[in-house]
Amino acid sequence: MKKHNTLFFLLAASAFNAQIISGTIISKNENQPIPYVKIGIDKENVGVISDGKGNFSIDLSTLAPQKKVIIEVPGYEMYTETVEDFKKHDLQKIFLKEKIRNIKEIAIKPKKLVDKNWGVNTKTKSVLYSVNPGLNKDNFLGETALEFNAKKRSKIKNINLNIASYTSSQPVLMRYSIYSEKNGFPDKNILDEEITVELTEDMIKDGTYTLDVNDRNIWVQGKFFVGIQFLKDFEGTVKISAALFRTGFIREFYGDWKKMTIAAPAINIDVKMDKNGNSNTEEEDGFSDDSAEAMMSDVSKYVQASEHTIYGQNATVGKYLKLQDTDLYYETYGEGEPLILLHGNSGSIKDYYQQIPVLSRQYKVIAIDTRGQGKSIDSSKKDFTYKMFADDVKALADKLNLGKVNIAGWSDGGNTGLEFALKYPERLNKLITIGANAFPDGVDDKLTDHFGNKMLVMKELKDPKKFNEQRLLKIMLTQPRIGKKDLNKIGSKVLVIAGDKDVIKPEHTELIAKEIPNAELKIYNNATHMIPFENADQLNTDILSFLGKK
């Protein structure tokens, strides 16, 4: 169920009948302009940011008189006023009071502090937050954040942002914020002073911009959020790496924060943690994510590693089988009894880069890119089904004169394996399923809901370029439909594998193994849905043992 998606971070506000209010934000204590102050409307996606001299102009023409205007910048007390009263300040100075800073002395011995790194470390270039103000010149004021959970008192040393690409002829102005938590969302900014950066390309080292905040004395404990916001329009694009199946947070100006359940931005922090501080749990990873997507660990490093192997792109052994509406790509390695490898949704042969070299020493391994995925091309307009995929496997087995075959299928590949076992029992020797499900309800409910919401969005967009992606999403939501009686009919020996932290419900995996007469169940401890990546050695050993090889 790997999904490779590109995420876009587009922000807009309305501007109709012009009623522009202008002014300058001034520090009351110092009588100096305050740069880059947020001026917006409470619970609305409407707002502006003052320029470097504190000047601003905001359109309030479409807003109700009793709506609240909020003016906010770290280090100063928040300013609030109704829209009706705020309009009276046109072309006037608005003064903000500095916050009184209560500096608490932290007495702690250095030897009690340990270094930790928390957050999302991926440097992938395939899953991204794309920040492109050129797509919307009028308003570019969005903010994204990542949640953390310091189980023990900790001091933030560095905030790291992994940037896949940077294109701008001028510095890109960014603000960093650290928020407290309320009801699972960012709440108040806890910083005493703002952290603003003019980012240039030479500040990015090995795909990461590291902001040193050690001297700012930022101590945290419990749940908190690190946020980034772009403050000024620029000519170009910044692409921030993101981790699939993690939860990020996003908002438009002073609008409500929303969860982004597709992926999370690659923000991570270096901290000094008080090793002997109070803690209610032994967990010290500092990363907080209670969504179902958190069950899917960040596998970006495995995806990147697979790109540097020959598998899935080997011109020497790669071939196509021409079928109706489909050119099915496959690669063959080794000699002996045939073993077919089937990848997961939106994956490819590359995903088995850790299995192919081991299994092909003793078996003739045929790795397939399922139609519409990898290098296989599908020109039809039909919905995908696992039975259709099983027919493709049968057609390839016939083409290669394989007779009986063994199949190892991961996720959707395992579902295809089950359909193959039912439709072509005479052609199957043994089957290994890894994180498979017999019907959609076997998948974690939160993840299914997430995919359902994404499907609704795709239907609304009606983007023809997303047709294939929509088919791959739909098959997970509607297929397979294998009942208990069907499972009872499978006569081949089957090894059912899943992780104890899999997105497939544990009771569902147990049901599959229980209802197949000759099935063996194996649950991997401390394992997610990504077993072929994260538990490669154990999986290889179990496959060889099950098939009869040491």
Side-chain angles (χ1 to χ4, degrees):
M1 286 187 184
K2 297 187 303 110
K3 301 297 296 175
H4 302 289
N5 297 302
T6 301
L7 307 177
F8 292 90
F9 179 4
L10 306 177
L11 310 154
S14 57
F16 297 102
N17 301 319
Q19 186 174 348
I20 308 299
I21 305 299
S22 300
T24 305
I25 309 298
I26 302 291
S27 168
K28 186 172 184 178
N29 302 66
E30 300 176 354
N31 197 31
Q32 293 293 323
I34 306 174
Y36 312 124
V37 179
K38 291 175 64 175
I39 304 101
I41 310 303
D42 188 30
K43 301 298 182 183
E44 297 284 347
N45 304 333
V46 177
V48 297
I49 291 175
S50 68
D51 63 17
K53 297 182 180 180
N55 299 316
F56 72 92
S57 293
I58 184 170
D59 182 1
L60 302 178
S61 58
T62 63
L63 297 165
Q66 298 308 310
K67 282 282 186 178
K68 282 189 177 181
V69 176
I70 296 177
I71 301 178
E72 184 181 26
V73 67
Y76 293 84
E77 293 182 7
M78 181 186 294
Y79 179 104
T80 63
E81 195 170 25
T82 65
V83 168
E84 183 178 29
D85 290 337
F86 188 75
K87 289 178 180 179
K88 301 173 184 177
H89 293 295
D90 191 20
L91 301 177
Q92 296 183 18
K93 295 179 180 180
I94 296 174
F95 292 91
L96 300 186
K97 295 180 181 179
E98 283 193 24
K99 284 183 178 178
I100 298 175
R101 300 179 186 177
N102 297 316
I103 302 175
K104 297 180 181 179
E105 183 179 354
I106 304 294
I108 187 166
K109 296 180 180 180
K111 66 180 181 180
K112 292 184 180 180
L113 297 177
V114 293
D115 290 315
K116 294 286 184 179
N117 176 268
W118 299 333
V120 175
N121 289 282
T122 179
K123 292 186 177 181
T124 180
K125 294 185 178 182
S126 59
V127 185
L128 305 167
Y129 278 85
S130 183
V131 184
N132 185 352
L135 295 179
N136 193 321
K137 289 285 187 182
D138 295 331
N139 294 283
F140 179 59
L141 307 169
E143 188 170 10
T144 186
L146 187 69
E147 184 177 4
F148 296 84
N149 192 1
K151 304 294 185 180
K152 300 179 181 180
R153 187 173 56 172
S154 304
K155 181 183 180 183
I156 302 178
K157 295 168 50 186
N158 300 307
I159 302 174
N160 306 303
L161 181 65
N162 292 348
I163 298 174
S165 70
Y166 177 102
T167 306
S168 178
S169 59
Q170 63 196 94
V172 174
L173 191 62
M174 301 167 55
R175 174 177 288 147
Y176 286 75
S177 300
I178 299 178
Y179 295 99
S180 60
E181 179 268 346
K182 184 177 180 181
N183 299 325
F185 289 90
D187 188 29
K188 299 184 183 302
N189 194 336
I190 66 173
L191 293 176
D192 288 331
E193 57 183 344
E194 69 168 341
I195 302 177
T196 303
V197 172
E198 290 187 339
L199 181 67
T200 57
E201 188 170 13
D202 61 346
M203 295 164 67
I204 303 168
K205 308 296 183 184
D206 190 28
T208 300
Y209 169 61
T210 297
L211 175 66
D212 185 346
V213 295
N214 190 54
D215 62 349
R216 293 178 180 267
N217 207 34
I218 303 170
W219 288 84
V220 291
Q221 186 166 8
K223 291 185 177 181
F224 64 97
F225 298 80
V226 175
I228 57 170
Q229 181 180 23
F230 293 83
L231 301 178
K232 187 178 178 182
D233 187 13
F234 63 93
E235 295 289 339
T237 304
V238 175
K239 295 181 178 179
I240 301 168
S241 295
L244 287 170
F245 300 105
R246 293 290 195 184
T247 297
F249 294 78
I250 193 169
R251 71 168 172 175
E252 298 180 26
F253 219 79
Y254 284 127
D256 291 333
W257 284 96
K258 297 177 182 179
K259 285 186 177 182
M260 295 288 289
T261 57
I262 300 174
I267 301 171
N268 63 90
I269 58 177
D270 300 315
V271 303
K272 284 282 189 183
M273 186 185 71
D274 182 358
K275 188 176 181 181
N276 298 323
N278 294 329
S279 175
N280 296 323
T281 175
E282 296 179 357
E283 294 181 6
E284 298 177 353
D285 63 5
F287 186 67
S288 181
D289 193 345
D290 60 358
S291 65
E293 294 83 356
M295 300 171 69
M296 305 284 279
S297 55
D298 179 11
V299 293
S300 301
K301 65 178 181 179
Y302 298 103
V303 174
Q304 291 174 1
S306 72
E307 294 290 340
H308 293 91
T309 68
I310 61 171
Y311 305 112
Q313 50 196 354
N314 191 341
T316 304
V317 302
K319 295 181 180 179
Y320 281 94
L321 172 64
K322 199 163 191 63
L323 299 172
Q324 185 177 6
D325 300 321
T326 297
D327 291 335
L328 197 70
Y329 180 78
Y330 66 97
E331 294 179 358
T332 304
Y333 298 91
E335 297 294 336
E337 191 177 336
L339 170 60
I340 294 175
L341 300 183
L342 303 174
H343 60 77
N345 192 291
S346 297
S348 73
I349 292 169
K350 295 177 184 179
D351 298 342
Y352 280 115
Y353 76 99
Q354 296 182 85
Q355 282 69 50
I356 294 172
V358 176
L359 301 178
S360 62
R361 293 173 193 161
Q362 302 191 58
Y363 289 90
K364 182 175 185 177
V365 171
I366 303 96
I368 303 174
D369 276 347
T370 305
R371 69 164 62 202
Q373 299 162 74
K375 296 180 73 172
S376 291
I377 301 167
D378 184 275
S379 59
S380 74
K381 300 301 179 183
K382 301 176 182 177
D383 285 343
F384 288 145
T385 69
Y386 296 112
K387 290 180 180 179
M388 178 191 297
F389 296 163
D391 291 339
D392 293 344
V393 175
K394 163 68 162 48
L396 181 58
D398 289 344
K399 171 70 175 179
L400 300 178
N401 298 313
L402 296 181
K404 277 197 169 186
V405 299
N406 301 294
I407 294 176
W410 174 18
S411 194
D412 275 26
N415 302 350
T416 299
L418 291 172
E419 292 287 14
F420 188 93
L422 287 167
K423 195 168 184 179
Y424 305 108
E426 73 285 353
R427 300 296 299 275
L428 179 64
N429 183 26
K430 294 182 179 180
L431 170 64
I432 302 102
T433 66
I434 308 142
N437 57 293
F439 40 85
D441 287 348
V443 180
D444 184 276
D445 294 334
K446 289 182 181 178
L447 192 58
T448 301
D449 290 344
H450 161 63
F451 288 149
N453 290 335
K454 188 179 177 187
M455 175 64 80
L456 291 174
V457 171
M458 293 180 74
K459 285 182 177 179
E460 287 296 321
L461 292 175
K462 298 178 181 178
D463 184 353
K465 295 179 181 178
K466 299 288 185 179
F467 174 70
N468 200 63
E469 184 180 341
Q470 188 171 327
R471 286 195 293 181
L472 291 171
L473 191 58
K474 185 175 181 179
I475 192 175
M476 288 192 294
L477 291 168
T478 61
Q479 300 280 324
R481 293 290 179 182
I482 301 173
K484 291 183 180 180
K485 292 182 179 179
D486 297 316
L487 294 172
N488 295 159
K489 297 175 184 177
I490 297 177
S492 300
K493 291 185 177 180
V494 180
L495 175 60
V496 179
I497 296 174
D500 61 350
K501 297 179 180 179
D502 211 305
V503 294
I504 305 300
K505 297 174 183 176
E507 63 270 20
H508 186 77
T509 300
E510 292 169 3
L511 179 144
I512 292 174
K514 178 182 177 182
E515 297 300 330
I516 297 175
N518 296 311
E520 175 185 339
L521 176 63
K522 194 148 195 176
I523 301 298
Y524 287 14
N525 293 327
N526 197 31
T528 71
H529 192 65
M530 301 303 184
I531 285 173
F533 282 157
E534 299 175 326
N535 308 82
D537 291 341
Q538 184 179 358
L539 178 62
N540 291 342
T541 298
D542 288 339
I543 290 175
L544 290 173
S545 176
F546 178 70
L547 295 180
K549 303 286 186 181
K550 294 183 179 180

